[in-house]
Amino acid sequence: MLEYTSESIEMAVIEALDEQKIPSIFLCSKTGNGKSSVINFLFNEKVSNTNNFEPCTRGIKLHKSNYINIYDSEGYEIGEKSQTYYKNLLDEFFAKNKNNVDLVWYAISGADKNYTDADINIIKNVEAMGLLCVGC
């Protein structure tokens, strides 16, 4: 009969966890939809800067834990110049990192209760890359 100790069980759990793939989520949307706040909530600590009045995130930042990786992206602003910049930012990121992302989470503000043509275009582009895109 095999005898199990707490150490052997702990080692078996650690080995099993090491074999598991850590999911990577890319979080995106327009500015002010709470992307960084969601990340802080999921990590249960302030890992991403937030501000109620102006954007804080610039570029794309990766936040890692033992259980999940989340890419936080800056949001796009209203206006063609900002939306073109944002599209280029995402295109460049996904050209280099598409295989590192398991899911794209597109945040739509419940307060706005609307979406823009830019929202639709970004979601369509993500889906065209073969990535699952979910909105909330």
Side-chain angles (χ1 to χ4, degrees), residues 5 7 14 23 26-27 37 55 58 62 64 96-97 100 114 132 134:
T5 65
E7 290 82 17
I14 289 170
F26 185 86
L27 189 53
S37 296
R58 293 288 175 234
L62 174 60
K64 297 174 116 182
K96 295 177 184 174
N97 298 287
N100 298 329
N114 66 1
L132 177 61
V134 296

Side-chain angles (χ1 to χ4, degrees), residues 20-27 42-43 61-72 93-94 97-105 131-134:
Q20 297 296 312
K21 182 181 184 308
I22 297 173
S24 293
I25 298 173
F26 185 86
L27 189 53
L42 292 173
F43 280 82
K61 303 202 178 348
L62 174 60
H63 301 284
K64 297 174 116 182
S65 78
N66 292 334
Y67 309 104
I68 194 167
N69 297 327
I70 300 181
Y71 292 94
D72 186 12
F93 173 83
F94 284 114
N97 298 287
K98 179 183 171 195
N99 295 331
N100 298 329
V101 176
D102 300 302
L103 175 75
V104 175
W105 188 352
L131 291 167
L132 177 61
C133 186
V134 296

Side-chain angles (χ1 to χ4, degrees), residues 113-126:
K113 297 183 182 164
N114 66 1
Y115 51 88
T116 67
D117 288 341
D119 295 319
I120 294 168
N121 290 334
I122 291 167
I123 292 168
K124 284 182 178 179
N125 287 340
V126 166

Side-chain angles (χ1 to χ4, degrees), residues 33-44:
N33 279 359
K35 296 177 296 296
S36 297
S37 296
V38 165
I39 290 170
N40 290 338
F41 175 79
L42 292 173
F43 280 82
N44 199 30

Side-chain angles (χ1 to χ4, degrees), residues 53-95:
F53 303 105
E54 52 187 76
C56 292
T57 305
R58 293 288 175 234
I60 297 170
K61 303 202 178 348
L62 174 60
H63 301 284
K64 297 174 116 182
S65 78
N66 292 334
Y67 309 104
I68 194 167
N69 297 327
I70 300 181
Y71 292 94
D72 186 12
S73 69
E74 71 179 85
Y76 74 84
E77 301 283 339
I78 301 301
E80 186 176 338
K81 183 178 179 182
S82 174
Q83 291 172 13
T84 299
Y85 165 79
Y86 193 69
K87 180 186 181 314
N88 292 338
L89 178 74
L90 296 185
D91 288 347
E92 182 180 317
F93 173 83
F94 284 114

